[in-house]
Amino acid sequence: MENTPHHMLLMVSILVLILCISSLASSASLKVGFYSSTCPSAEAIVRSTVNKAISDNPGIAAGLIRMHFHDCFVRGCDGSVLLASTSGNPVAERDNSINNPSLRGFEVIEDVKTQIEAACPQTVSCADILAFAARDSALKVGGINYDVPSGRRDGLVSIGDEVPQNLPRPTLSGDELVTNFARKGLSVDEMVTLSGAHSIGVSHCSSFSKRLYSFSDTSTQDSSMDPSYAATLKTKCPAPPATTDPTVALEPSTSIRLDNKYYEGLINHRGLLTSDQTLFSSQSTKEMVQSNAYNGASWAEKFAHAMVRMGSIEHDSNGEYSSSHASMVSILVLILCISSLASSASLKVGFYSSTCPSAEAIVRSTVNKAISDNPGIAAGLIRMHFHDCFVRGCDGSVLLASTSGNPVAERDNSINNPSLRGFEVIEDVKTQIEAACPQTVSCADILAFAARDSALKVGGINYDVPSGRRDGLVSIGDEVPQNLPGPTLSADELVTNFARKGLSVDEMVTLSGAHS
């Protein structure tokens, strides 16, 4: 497949592989006990693993809670913070400088996922595991317990540049924090309440050193910080130009206990970050800080509620849903959208029900046998359907052979030859169908059925295929690179390419995510 433009041409093939190994949480709404019948041990596995990890390293609790927060604020709570960078996406969320190297706990989530996959394969999403792990961390170090609604779908897209666009910076003012959280559907009180998570964990000196050494043109030190506290911090954080970036506790008095001491620190002008201290300095949030400082039980109850609310974020700031390690419904829609790029004016389910009732059964049995003999054929047939639809519509022209008058047909263009596989399966099906129903079923429809049956065989994905496509008579190799999206296209060029085929920006982005 060396000559194949890898950015988009293999996306449907890779989609099948991802479906084989990914969790398919198919519910669009979250509910408590989502896995009670499909994986009843899931939450117990998470809790026992998290408890052990925190016992070994108490700082992991803050890391897991922070990871859940960083996941939810970028593309919604879809587990995209867990996705690794790739050659095609060199900086995923976890490798943005805001998260790397400070974000901790990936090894705990990986440990949990391994155990859950052994118990309940392809059932529990990574996004839900992370939500459970954050809850269990709060319970372990703060005694705060709450039910976690689950059923989140895992995302396929993780873009490092989106991290600073969505996460609140440590230098934000009170009003800026209110706006940032409001974009995620969270109230002012929930923002102040969730900030209490800063009672545990650490921060790098670089996140607040300006408050110590170069606060403004008129003052080197932030006057809102207690002088004795600032003096202590200066012993731990070097003055610029610093060659190291040490860490200090966000709230030193109970640094491994999730409690309301954080708010007491703010009242005493011992907030470490600008975004911490501003909660007490700002009139709109000052009373909330005081209330939380004076009533720890009330704060803990509100914290549990706010964590559930944050864990329900499903849209990014633009309102775009971040779908799961490719949710089944999304994939079916996308495949059907591609299939609808046909040369026939009207497609319908059951088109051959009277003229060739055995057609779809013949395709399915032949495809199943071929995949059983060679599992890689499934990817080949889905990819062939994609290549067919994007050049001249879904007309079977990718199947036509080169001739003396047309020496390079689509199938023999270097993009398709020798990488495109499965022609022998389609030929086998066509031979059987012609014997049963001569000159009735188009090759374009056979290919659409074969793609569907491949998805069913290796991914458990089934759907009705509207049929009635007409086979094309023209197949020109030079049209392949003119129509299939190349690996060097910009985002705007990809949008234009897919739009020419009647596919939306969201469908383009979703399919591109499968390539990750």
Side-chain angles (χ1 to χ4, degrees):
M1 308 178 84
E2 292 80 359
N3 296 322
T4 305
H6 286 286
H7 186 289
M8 296 298 298
L9 302 188
L10 295 182
M11 58 192 173
V12 181
S13 305
I14 294 174
L15 178 65
V16 174
L17 176 60
I18 292 174
L19 286 171
C20 290
I21 62 176
S22 297
S23 305
L24 296 175
S26 58
S27 174
S29 57
L30 306 183
K31 68 176 182 179
V32 174
F34 183 82
Y35 301 108
S36 58
S37 61
T38 57
C39 191
S41 61
E43 294 192 50
I45 292 173
V46 177
R47 179 160 293 180
S48 63
T49 306
V50 167
N51 285 347
K52 182 180 184 304
I54 295 173
S55 295
D56 293 340
N57 178 6
I60 287 295
L64 292 172
I65 293 173
R66 180 170 178 251
M67 190 187 297
H68 182 43
F69 171 76
H70 283 214
D71 181 43
C72 291
F73 263 56
V74 181
R75 293 188 163 265
C77 309
D78 68 342
S80 57
V81 74
L82 302 167
L83 295 176
S85 299
T86 65
S87 57
N89 180 36
V91 184
E93 292 172 33
R94 65 187 286 172
D95 289 324
N96 180 276
S97 59
I98 291 174
N99 289 331
N100 187 356
S102 64
L103 212 55
R104 297 175 295 164
F106 291 103
E107 71 283 357
V108 180
I109 302 301
E110 290 167 1
D111 186 6
V112 171
K113 182 63 174 174
T114 299
Q115 295 179 58
I116 287 181
E117 282 300 301
C120 320
Q122 301 177 27
T123 302
V124 182
S125 69
C126 293
D128 279 338
I129 290 173
L130 186 49
F132 294 143
R135 184 268 314 275
D136 295 336
S137 296
L139 176 61
K140 178 70 171 175
V141 300
I144 301 174
N145 195 18
Y146 53 93
D147 290 328
V148 175
S150 50
R152 295 165 186 80
R153 297 166 176 167
D154 285 333
L156 287 173
V157 178
S158 183
I159 302 171
D161 286 345
E162 292 183 346
V163 176
Q165 296 169 9
N166 287 276
L167 287 176
R169 299 186 305 277
T171 58
L172 293 190
S173 67
D175 289 344
E176 289 170 329
L177 285 170
V178 169
T179 300
N180 180 278
F181 276 68
R183 285 202 300 263
K184 307 303 176 182
L186 298 172
S187 70
V188 178
D189 189 59
E190 287 166 336
M191 179 270 288
V192 175
T193 300
L194 288 170
S195 297
H198 280 187
S199 69
I200 56 175
V202 298
S203 174
H204 283 271
C205 292
S206 58
S207 294
F208 60 87
S209 60
K210 186 176 180 179
R211 300 185 69 198
L212 303 177
Y213 298 109
S214 56
F215 182 66
S216 68
D217 293 337
T218 59
S219 176
T220 57
Q221 187 172 299
D222 186 350
S223 60
S224 69
M225 181 181 284
D226 173 55
S228 63
Y229 183 44
T232 299
L233 292 173
K234 286 181 178 179
T235 66
K236 300 176 180 180
C237 297
T243 57
T244 60
D245 193 12
T247 60
V248 299
L250 283 161
E251 199 293 297
S253 66
T254 56
S255 60
I256 59 173
R257 178 71 184 172
L258 182 61
D259 56 25
N260 66 331
K261 297 296 183 184
Y262 164 80
Y263 300 101
E264 294 181 15
L266 300 186
I267 294 173
N268 293 322
H269 299 280
R270 288 175 169 258
L272 187 64
L273 308 176
T274 297
S275 57
D276 291 326
Q277 194 58 51
T278 192
L279 299 180
F280 185 69
S281 304
S282 300
Q283 290 303 310
S284 62
T285 54
K286 184 174 184 177
E287 289 186 5
M288 298 174 190
V289 170
Q290 292 171 326
S291 175
N292 290 337
Y294 301 146
N295 193 334
S298 174
W299 168 77
E301 183 177 342
K302 290 196 301 176
F303 184 82
H305 176 76
M307 287 292 285
V308 172
R309 290 266 295 127
M310 184 188 75
S312 300
I313 297 173
E314 292 184 342
H315 296 72
D316 65 15
S317 59
N318 295 318
E320 179 181 357
Y321 187 71
S322 300
S323 62
S324 117
H325 267 117
S327 84
M328 256 186 229
V329 175
S330 299
I331 294 165
L332 298 186
V333 170
L334 289 168
I335 293 176
L336 288 171
C337 285
I338 292 174
S339 298
S340 68
L341 303 174
S343 56
S344 174
S346 59
L347 305 183
K348 68 176 182 179
V349 174
F351 183 83
Y352 301 107
S353 58
S354 60
T355 57
C356 191
S358 62
E360 292 193 50
I362 291 172
V363 178
R364 180 159 293 179
S365 63
T366 306
V367 167
N368 284 347
K369 182 179 184 305
I371 294 173
S372 295
D373 293 339
N374 178 7
I377 287 296
L381 291 171
I382 294 174
R383 179 172 175 248
M384 189 188 296
H385 181 42
F386 174 77
H387 283 218
D388 183 42
C389 292
F390 261 58
V391 181
R392 292 186 164 266
C394 308
D395 68 346
S397 57
V398 74
L399 301 168
L400 296 176
S402 299
T403 65
S404 57
N406 180 35
V408 183
E410 291 173 35
R411 65 186 287 172
D412 288 324
N413 180 276
S414 60
I415 290 173
N416 289 330
N417 187 357
S419 64
L420 212 55
R421 296 177 296 164
F423 292 102
E424 71 282 5
V425 179
I426 302 302
E427 290 167 3
D428 187 3
V429 171
K430 183 64 174 174
T431 299
Q432 297 179 59
I433 288 181
E434 281 300 299
C437 319
Q439 302 179 24
T440 302
V441 181
S442 70
C443 292
D445 280 338
I446 289 173
L447 185 50
F449 294 144
R452 183 269 314 275
D453 295 334
S454 296
L456 174 62
K457 178 68 172 177
V458 300
I461 302 172
N462 196 17
Y463 55 95
D464 291 327
V465 175
S467 50
R469 297 165 184 81
R470 293 192 290 264
D471 285 332
L473 296 176
V474 178
S475 182
I476 302 171
D478 286 346
E479 291 184 346
V480 176
Q482 295 170 9
N483 285 276
L484 289 172
T488 59
L489 295 190
S490 68
D492 288 344
E493 290 170 329
L494 285 170
V495 168
T496 300
N497 180 278
F498 275 66
R500 286 201 299 263
K501 308 303 178 183
L503 297 171
S504 71
V505 177
D506 186 60
E507 288 163 341
M508 180 274 288
V509 173
T510 302
L511 283 171
S512 298
H515 190 251
S516 69

